[in-house]
Amino acid sequence: MRFADGSVGPGYNPQIMTTPKSGVIVAVKATQDRNDSNLMSPMLDLFKSCYGKFPKRILADSHYPVQKDGEEALGNKIDVYCPPRKGRKKSTEES
């Protein structure tokens, strides 16, 4: 896995799905993807394989879902709550 400092080594990126009120863990998946983007759909599929249906809604951080994840969620009637991504800040040299 490549880390933020540029080094490469063994590592995992755990994805954990919980219920919002009680915090009960309902799905866990470990991946070697450093970036969380593109990981929402696999978690939703894992949830469905365990419980036979998709959740009604999902709360995610801003870098978790990408457009195709949103389209899949919409197609499966899942409400996605996610703050908008913040734009990259310009350095003083780019201004």
Side-chain angles (χ1 to χ4, degrees):
M1 182 172 180
R2 182 169 299 281
F3 293 94
D5 66 359
S7 65
V8 178
Y12 293 92
N13 182 357
Q15 302 298 303
I16 301 169
M17 186 181 279
T18 64
T19 59
K21 290 184 181 179
S22 63
V24 172
I25 296 172
V26 294
V28 176
K29 183 177 180 83
T31 177
Q32 289 188 312
D33 293 332
R34 183 174 80 110
N35 192 324
D36 288 341
S37 294
N38 296 313
L39 297 179
M40 188 171 89
S41 290
M43 284 302 289
L44 291 172
D45 293 339
L46 178 60
F47 183 93
K48 184 177 181 187
S49 72
C50 291
Y51 301 100
K53 61 182 179 179
F54 287 111
K56 293 180 182 178
R57 58 192 155 271
I58 186 169
L59 173 63
D61 68 28
S62 61
H63 291 284
Y64 200 61
V66 293
Q67 184 172 348
K68 75 171 187 65
D69 291 327
E71 291 169 357
E72 180 180 332
L74 181 63
N76 290 302
K77 297 182 169 65
I78 302 168
D79 293 330
V80 178
Y81 299 91
C82 178
R85 289 184 184 212
K86 294 181 180 176
R88 187 174 68 99
K89 292 182 180 180
K90 291 184 178 182
S91 68
T92 55
E93 295 171 2
E94 294 178 327
S95 300

